[in-house]
Amino acid sequence: MATDGKVITCKAAVAWEPGKPLSIEEVEVAPPKAHEVRIKVVATGVCHTDWEYLFETGKGMKFRPFPLVLGHEAAGIVESIGPEVTRFSPGDKVIPLFLPYCGECERCLSPKTNHCKKNWTNMQAGVLADGTSRISCKGQQVYQFLGVSSFSQYTVVPDTSVAKIRSDAPLDKVCLLGCGVSTGYGAAINAGKVEKDSSCAVFGLGAVGLAAVMGCKVATARRIIGVDINRDKFEKARQFGATDCINPRDYSKPIQEVVVEMTGGGVDYALECVGSPAIMNAALESTRDAWGTCVIAGWTETETMSISVEKLLMGRTLKGTYFGGWKSVKDVPKLVDDYMNHKLKLDEFITEKLPLVQINKAFDLLKSGKSIRTVISLQDS
């Protein structure tokens, strides 16, 4: 391509400081270095985690350096590759990933985890392997959120954090597999290992929660209870497979007690998809003693849980999941195949499509609870 080896000037939504709206700016995206891939971002989902890092840094989230380009749930096309990249070519359709998969370390070789740590520390700090970002604006470095930064028309990502996908996949749909849908779906399928004819409760019916409901249904659970304070989400939850939907505000007693009564002793599986310690406790306490399993998929970095030890001693299992337990680069292409073969819903998560210039509107819709997923079109801006 004509841009190979050259700096690309393009548009990006830059977060100059915490708590302030994003600003659409011209940025410069440098060519990829060794083991890096430069991607033309076609579409990106707007995830609640993006909102939290902008507006709740220092609360439930650890501090990330600013200025920063957010976005981590995307799909695009390889524009160029750096030295020593062997698995990608310009023109490949790809999904950049915040979780790497090197395929060589002890963790990648183990079936017990998906927590590859290749470039992990640097990516969490907003830079790539050499300690710098490939994005700059107005003469200063702009940090890359989780090593991705998909709120930019172009970005550069380590080759261990890119999944090559089939050429006929619609990028404005499969971008959702970069975070929310994969996380919730995998929480049920991989972490929870939900069984046939079991009972489940899903706490939080945003994108992650709805994907968890979908996972429970695919696992042929008998009863799936959706829990959310926004009853507007109930109809959508039923479309994904929920058999019951309840609003904690409709009851005078704790919601876990309601679930226990509804199910004659508690659910077999509870999936927490909010990121609130109080709701994590409620999810755990909604499970049946002797064998109940509670999976935490909601994200928080600084908060702590306080649980009754007896709840665990009575046979419950409490576990967490990151990216739904999927080995990112290896498994995401399979999820794309499942979508293309009509085994996985994606279209139903998308409630709005907006151009990059309206990125702040997407945040407003997300915070108000009026959208499940807004997909931003990067190349129409």
Side-chain angles (χ1 to χ4, degrees):
M1 291 188 179
T3 50
D4 188 7
K6 300 177 182 178
V7 172
I8 292 177
T9 299
C10 64
K11 298 289 186 182
V14 177
W16 288 105
E17 57 183 300
K20 298 293 179 65
L22 303 181
S23 176
I24 305 300
E25 305 281 2
E26 270 202 352
V27 299
E28 292 77 43
V29 181
K33 296 186 179 181
H35 292 290
E36 293 176 357
V37 177
R38 187 159 62 181
I39 299 169
K40 178 182 180 180
V41 182
V42 172
T44 183
V46 178
C47 179
H48 194 260
T49 306
D50 296 310
W51 183 91
E52 286 183 297
Y53 278 117
L54 184 60
F55 293 106
E56 293 193 353
T57 292
K59 298 177 184 177
M61 299 294 152
K62 294 177 183 175
F63 179 78
R64 253 73 173 185
F66 286 78
L68 173 71
V69 172
L70 292 161
H72 63 287
E73 184 181 85
I77 300 168
V78 173
E79 174 272 335
S80 61
I81 58 175
E84 301 176 55
V85 174
T86 59
R87 295 185 295 109
F88 303 97
S89 300
D92 287 345
K93 284 189 174 182
V94 293
I95 294 178
L97 298 158
F98 60 89
L99 176 65
Y101 174 82
C102 71
E104 300 173 349
C105 68
E106 179 184 36
R107 296 184 179 198
C108 284
L109 296 175
S110 170
K112 297 179 180 179
T113 184
N114 63 337
H115 289 199
C116 176
K117 291 292 186 178
K118 182 77 171 180
N119 295 321
W120 179 265
T121 301
N122 277 4
M123 287 174 70
Q124 295 299 307
V127 293
L128 301 186
D130 68 347
T132 66
S133 166
R134 299 292 164 269
I135 303 175
S136 59
C137 182
K138 298 179 180 179
Q140 64 176 306
Q141 174 172 270
V142 177
Y143 293 92
Q144 294 185 226
F145 185 53
L146 302 180
V148 178
S149 287
S150 58
F151 292 173
S152 175
Q153 292 179 317
Y154 287 84
T155 190
V156 177
V157 181
D159 62 357
T160 49
S161 297
V162 184
K164 181 179 176 179
I165 61 173
R166 54 196 285 173
S167 60
D168 58 343
L171 299 179
D172 61 341
K173 306 293 184 10
V174 299
C175 60
L176 301 188
L177 292 171
C179 181
V181 173
S182 298
T183 296
Y185 186 61
I189 299 294
N190 298 326
K193 294 181 169 56
V194 171
E195 296 175 312
K196 181 180 180 181
D197 294 328
S198 61
S199 58
C200 306
V202 176
F203 289 75
L205 297 174
V208 175
L210 290 174
V213 169
M214 178 171 64
C216 293
K217 182 175 176 60
V218 167
T220 63
R222 172 181 50 82
R223 192 172 189 185
I224 305 169
I225 303 169
V227 183
D228 201 291
I229 58 172
N230 184 352
R231 62 177 60 258
D232 292 342
K233 296 181 178 179
F234 291 174
E235 180 181 352
K236 180 76 76 170
R238 291 188 177 95
Q239 292 174 17
F240 278 93
T243 57
D244 308 80
C245 292
I246 55 177
N247 185 338
R249 292 176 174 171
D250 291 342
Y251 302 90
S252 58
K253 63 180 68 175
I255 196 62
Q256 55 266 44
E257 293 181 18
V258 175
V259 173
V260 168
E261 288 181 8
M262 287 176 66
T263 54
V267 290
D268 301 309
Y269 301 93
L271 300 108
E272 195 278 345
C273 302
V274 179
S276 160
I279 299 174
M280 293 173 189
N281 271 309
L284 176 66
E285 293 176 8
S286 74
T287 60
R288 188 175 297 270
D289 66 11
W291 64 69
T293 295
C294 177
V295 178
I296 307 300
W299 187 254
T300 180
E301 292 181 331
T302 61
E303 297 177 280
T304 58
M305 285 181 70
S306 176
I307 62 175
S308 167
V309 174
E310 182 187 21
K311 297 295 181 183
L312 300 180
L313 293 176
M314 288 298 101
R316 293 176 179 85
T317 298
L318 175 65
K319 62 197 307 186
T321 184
Y322 190 69
F323 196 55
W326 304 107
K327 288 183 180 286
S328 58
V329 171
K330 180 181 177 183
D331 287 337
V332 165
K334 299 173 187 176
L335 293 174
V336 172
D337 288 343
D338 284 346
Y339 166 70
M340 298 298 289
N341 294 325
H342 308 291
K343 296 178 181 178
L344 187 71
K345 295 179 187 294
L346 288 180
D347 302 52
E348 293 82 356
F349 288 90
I350 301 170
T351 43
E352 288 86 21
K353 291 188 177 182
L354 297 173
L356 180 62
V357 292
Q358 294 188 51
I359 185 75
N360 290 306
K361 179 181 177 182
F363 273 167
D364 292 341
L365 288 167
L366 182 69
K367 185 57 181 172
S368 69
K370 294 179 181 177
S371 75
I372 303 301
R373 265 299 184 269
T374 296
V375 170
I376 300 296
S377 175
L378 274 295
Q379 302 305 319
D380 293 341
S381 299

